[in-house]
Amino acid sequence: MSDDRYTEEELRAKEEAYREYLRLREEAPKVSITETPYGASQLRKRQKEEEAARAAYQKAREEGRRGVKPKKRQSSAHPSGTKRGSGESDGMRPSGRSASKNSGSSRRGGSKPSESSRGRGTRSTEAARQSGARSTEASRPREARSNKPAKERRSPSIPRPDKDRRNRKSRDARMRPMAENSTIASTVSKTRKKKPSKLKSGILSNRTVRKIIIILAVLILAAIALFVGGFMVVANTLGSIGSLDMEKNNLAISNQAKSDLKDFKNIAVLGVDTRDMDDDSESRSDAMVVVSINKKTNEVRMFSVFRDTMLDLGGDHGLDKLTHAYSYGGAETTVAALNRNLDLNIRKAVVINWKTVAEVIDALGGITIDVQESEIDELNKYIKGTAKATGTERVDIEEPGKQTLNGAQAVTYARIRQDDVRGDYRRNERMKIVMATTFKKAKNADVFTLKRLCDNALPDAKTNLTTTEMMGMALNFKKYDMTSSTTGWPYDVEGWIGTAGGGAAWYGPPVTLESNVEKLYKEFFKISDYEPSEEVRGISNDISELTGLY
């Protein structure tokens, strides 16, 4: 009969026999073909039996996995696995196919086995089974022997398919929580919160406090060192400027001016026509500009006073041109004349010559000026002398329009006055244009340019500003807002030729002094309730009596 017609009991018996064979094979000593007592033919026979048993077993496993149940035979089987009518055990015969085939052919032929042959086959099969069991049991170790039936004893090396699947599932189930636990553990270890630092928890050790104190001390010392170092550099630079002696009690500042102009810091900038700043006793002031700083708004404005303006110069000098005041008593006499006649509170002054202005402009890289056609001839006429005085090269102006002027060209532009019928008035306008343009460009310059500017210009200047005052102004320099004011004072003036000051000359008396000062306060300082002082009224009357113009 074919293999797919084995009963379940026969398959179990075959499986048990094959496992037993494998166990015995593993325990048997390894011998070569030449050493076996059976010889080569017996060994080949055993190999064929082994291959046949293995094929049957594999087929049974495959059918078990696919869920195919073998057909049951109608004839009963012996409990020990021996088939009725067969001459040997299924587990010991070399081929179950040949045995069943022979049996079937004998039955089909109609010949029945005799009782003696059936008995001999039964007895020989029973004896073989018992002897095989005894040899198997004897060859097994004592601790491996068991009293369980053969179908319950299974070799551990060949697990059942369903049991193998169960084992694999159980193993996966055991490993899954382990993997999850390890993943959670690694995640927890990575995201574990750090302990709050002592600084966050508010607990500082003495060592930490000492470190913080040391760091703060070092930072403070470094800041002080930088400040002191920078202060020393600036102080040394500012210290190169010349000193100007002015006695504050001789500056003719009235109490009314102190009160009315308390929010303004007024500084007189005097340009003298000398080349040697160490000896300017006989020089005159060609340019007189009042720079006014609003202490509340940091607004910077300025107005110029015409050099030929008739004012009271004080003392024995009386009414005379303002430009003569510097030759009479230097900056102190000039500042006192401005305070006395215009009700101002000027306490500080800066004296420069035209060489200083040229050096400042050259340090800034020149300034942009809109040159008129009528000014070109006068410019080129005097550029040669200015370039020689400032020690620079002569460069003429070739065409009108906006252009960059160097120091010598800009100074010449500010000094000429014969190109216009307004003469000195137009000259004052040009001076203020040069000063305002220079101030704006210096305000936008970098630190190194300003340092070079100070190094070149300050040694040729003089002032009574203290180093502290200059340092404060330098710190606020970027905050100052220079307006485009081109105010020239006096607003209303008439020409007069006379002998005031000891000789016949042209003068420009304000008409009247009182009204011009009122207009200055109202339009320049934005003080509408100003009342001229008694001294201003008196000087205004003196000018009227001398000139007879009003």
Side-chain angles (χ1 to χ4, degrees), residues 41-107:
S41 60
Q42 294 295 332
L43 182 60
R44 285 193 296 272
K45 184 178 180 180
R46 288 185 60 186
Q47 290 176 350
K48 290 181 179 181
E49 293 176 354
E50 178 182 346
E51 291 176 1
R54 186 183 296 109
Y57 173 70
Q58 291 293 339
K59 185 173 183 180
R61 287 191 62 180
E62 292 297 328
E63 291 179 352
R65 290 177 181 175
R66 293 196 301 267
V68 179
K69 295 184 179 181
K71 297 179 181 180
K72 294 185 179 181
R73 292 182 62 183
Q74 298 298 328
S75 59
S76 60
H78 195 275
S80 63
T82 303
K83 296 187 291 184
R84 293 183 181 274
S86 64
E88 54 188 322
S89 173
D90 292 337
M92 299 299 294
R93 64 188 177 183
S95 176
R97 181 182 298 271
S98 60
S100 61
K101 186 176 181 179
N102 295 335
S103 176
S105 62
S106 62
R107 284 195 294 271

